[in-house]
Amino acid sequence: MASVSGKKPVLRLEELEAVYAISRAVAIAKTMDTALDEIIHLARPVFIFDNMVLYLQRGPDSLKPAYARAIGRGRFYEAELAWGEATALEVLQTGEVVKRLDEANQEVNDRTRYRYTLGLPLNLEIEPTGALVFIRFGGPQYEPDQIRLAEFISGHIAQLLGHDRLVQQIASLEAERRLDRLQEDFIATVSHELLTPLGFIKGYATTLLRDDTTWDDETRKEFLTIIDEEADRLHELIDNLMDSSRLQAGTLRMSYQPIRLDAFLKDVVMRSVSRHDNLKVGLEFNPPEVKIDADPTRLAQVFDNLLTNASKYASGSQVMICLKTEEDYVTVIIQDNGPGISPEHLDHLFKRFYRVPSKEANVRGTGLGLFICRQIIRAHGGQIWAESRLNEGTSFFIRLPLNQQQVEKEIFLRESSQ
Ligand code: ADP
């Protein structure tokens, strides 16, 4: 074993060309691994080696192989990593180029039992540092001009690592900032939405409790009705928030069962019309009977939300619900001829908390409804989207697979073939 120093030999023409080609490859590299593959491909004709391993420092005396390639006489991958590791540790301890000659156990009889390893420090500006190790089985020994060439290669790899680390740091900083912003927006929206009904409840309750005034029965009933409605609203909001975070976390389980979609829709519509007196709904089912596998509670939540939206945002308009089937899918279209939604908002409609800015401040909502609808439909293996024209109306399309078992089988097949 020996540390290498001394005069710097000059590179030969083909070596110089290889070094330039490596610089270019590093400059245009898309990923760390493809760049390293390319470096190996370019270095091999001018620099002999059987294995190349890149180690990154994990702690003061601990290394992690980040990349390894065995070419030519490459042997047992894990054993070679261990050989390289001793060299890499020495490189990290000394900060110098290290040459080692190690002898394998008795099981190897030919000359390849001698491992010539060359370790080079990877001096990164950003921690952790690492080492690049080349292994040659049975020689030849590394000559000074080849060590110089290996130093060029390790210099480029260090540059690549530095760049990669910087990109990762920037990406994680951006992700953190995005998360912070999302959390701030979330807290602001949720607090505002929760405080509004709470404000009503507190205000009317305090008013009713005042000792200096008496209220007639009718006024008291009116105030209590407001308190009752606002408490319901608060309940609904909290339910929505919980659903939305469980859906986001993937912990809301669907419980599928066979349902007659046509009868199911008629039921949902009847309930919705009785709740919203401004809602007029027409049905057009073709075929008249459709069976699907679905979670009835969650699916009802979707249609309830779309019909409530039609009554809120397209008040007084005629709503048509059309049902049609094609191959393994059924599509339900809920169409109104309300004010419509302009194209710049259409793409964002299904995002959490997204609401189209409206002049009608009295139309209340949280922007969670369509987000929840999309998550539920996706959990059914389906799709939901909206089409709209300003002053003409909005149509929501829901496309669902007729058979959930088929969906699960397809997902399983897709996963197992990956
Ligand atoms: P919320 O009703 O609580 O605001 P949603 O997620 O259900 O939240 O809807 C998001 C937004 O989409 C609404 O704020 C509204 O601006 C718009 N929207 C939904 N349905 C319609 C519709 N039928 N016509 C026009 N705008 C609609």
Side-chain angles (χ1 to χ4, degrees):
M1 151 184 40
S3 280
V4 178
S5 55
K7 78 177 175 71
K8 308 267 182 200
V10 179
L11 295 183
R12 285 182 286 128
L13 184 64
E14 66 265 33
E15 291 170 343
L16 257 180
E17 276 174 3
V19 168
Y20 284 137
I22 289 172
S23 314
R24 277 197 301 274
V26 167
I28 59 165
K30 291 251 174 351
T31 70
M32 188 72 193
D33 274 14
T34 51
L36 288 167
D37 287 346
E38 185 63 9
I39 288 176
I40 287 190
H41 169 74
L42 294 166
R44 263 293 270 182
V46 289
F47 184 75
I48 302 164
F49 60 93
D50 294 304
N51 281 7
M52 184 185 102
V53 192
L54 176 72
Y55 294 91
L56 293 181
Q57 191 166 21
R58 222 177 1 197
D61 291 314
S62 154
L63 287 168
K64 166 177 87 148
Y67 176 92
R69 279 286 177 278
I71 316 165
R73 287 168 286 189
R75 291 158 170 261
F76 314 108
Y77 179 77
E78 281 173 17
E80 308 320 341
L81 284 185
W83 282 110
E85 193 164 322
T87 310
L89 275 172
E90 200 181 324
V91 168
L92 286 177
Q93 276 153 14
T94 60
E96 301 270 330
V97 175
V98 168
K99 274 205 299 181
R100 281 172 74 111
L101 173 58
D102 297 295
E103 197 178 341
N105 296 334
Q106 297 308 316
E107 81 272 12
V108 188
N109 291 320
D110 57 20
R111 63 184 208 43
T112 64
R113 70 193 281 177
Y114 296 103
R115 290 170 167 83
Y116 291 80
T117 47
L118 177 69
L120 305 116
L122 292 167
N123 298 319
L124 306 186
E125 279 172 28
I126 302 162
E127 292 298 310
T129 44
L132 182 70
V133 175
F134 291 102
I135 304 175
R136 288 175 175 174
F137 299 105
Q141 184 55 277
Y142 300 92
E143 298 303 332
D145 58 337
Q146 293 183 336
I147 293 171
R148 181 78 184 126
L149 184 60
E151 279 180 318
F152 271 110
I153 297 172
S154 72
H156 277 114
I157 292 181
Q159 191 187 334
L160 201 62
L161 274 173
H163 179 254
D164 196 51
R165 240 146 250 283
L166 215 61
V167 169
Q168 277 177 24
Q169 281 204 334
I170 292 169
S172 95
L173 273 175
E174 272 176 2
E176 247 172 62
R177 272 226 319 262
R178 228 180 2 249
L179 198 69
D180 279 353
R181 237 188 353 253
L182 266 176
Q183 272 168 352
E184 276 165 26
D185 289 355
F186 179 84
I187 292 167
T189 315
V190 169
S191 319
H192 174 78
E193 288 305 325
L194 294 179
L195 283 175
T196 312
L198 206 58
F200 278 108
I201 294 170
K202 171 76 183 154
Y204 282 100
T206 310
T207 309
L208 281 176
L209 285 170
R210 272 170 63 172
D211 293 330
D212 55 346
T213 324
T214 48
W215 306 100
D216 59 58
D217 281 354
E218 199 185 330
T219 313
R220 192 177 308 114
K221 187 149 190 242
E222 190 189 325
F223 287 3
L224 284 170
T225 309
I226 294 171
I227 292 173
D228 187 48
E229 282 172 3
E230 293 300 319
D232 283 349
R233 190 173 147 65
L234 205 54
H235 193 257
E236 188 190 327
L237 258 166
I238 292 168
D239 272 354
N240 272 349
L241 277 170
M242 284 171 64
D243 277 357
S244 117
S245 53
R246 271 182 285 177
L247 282 160
Q248 187 96 328
T251 53
L252 192 71
R253 291 267 136 246
M254 298 291 142
S255 160
Y256 301 111
Q257 62 186 72
I259 59 168
R260 274 269 308 272
L261 186 59
D262 48 293
F264 175 82
L265 279 173
K266 282 179 193 154
D267 222 42
V268 172
V269 168
M270 234 159 63
R271 268 185 287 131
S272 217
V273 169
S274 71
R275 256 185 288 131
H276 309 287
D277 12 303
N278 63 343
L279 203 60
K280 289 173 271 170
V281 184
L283 303 173
E284 198 179 292
F285 294 171
N286 184 22
E289 287 184 14
V290 177
K291 288 198 192 101
I292 62 162
D293 293 320
D295 180 325
T297 314
R298 295 294 161 193
L299 205 59
Q301 197 178 344
V302 172
F303 291 114
D304 271 342
N305 189 72
L306 293 177
L307 288 169
T308 305
N309 277 356
S311 96
K312 285 196 310 191
Y313 304 107
S315 181
S317 114
Q318 167 79 24
V319 178
M320 265 319 284
I321 301 188
C322 307
L323 183 154
K324 55 185 184 187
T325 53
E326 47 181 329
E327 291 175 5
D328 298 333
Y329 285 89
V330 55
T331 307
V332 182
I333 306 164
I334 298 172
Q335 186 181 10
D336 65 55
N337 42 30
I341 300 163
S342 59
E344 72 267 25
H345 297 298
L346 216 50
D347 282 348
H348 306 288
L349 225 51
F350 296 91
K351 289 184 184 157
R352 195 144 88 150
F353 295 127
Y354 195 83
R355 303 199 70 212
V356 178
S358 157
K359 288 176 212 87
E360 292 170 64
N362 58 338
V363 184
R364 290 163 67 176
T366 54
L368 282 173
L370 290 179
F371 170 81
I372 293 174
C373 289
R374 173 172 274 181
Q375 303 284 343
I376 293 174
I377 296 299
R378 280 188 177 162
H380 279 78
Q383 289 161 289
I384 177 168
W385 71 96
E387 290 176 9
S388 188
R389 269 171 189 273
L390 272 182
N391 306 320
E392 286 184 25
T394 306
S395 299
F396 285 91
F397 294 77
I398 293 173
R399 192 165 180 261
L400 285 167
L402 290 169
N403 186 340
Q404 275 306 320
Q405 275 162 6
Q406 185 60 28
V407 173
E408 275 155 29
K409 207 159 71 195
E410 275 168 22
I411 290 172
F412 173 75
L413 284 175
R414 234 181 297 140
E415 279 173 355
S416 48
S417 68
Q418 277 165 4

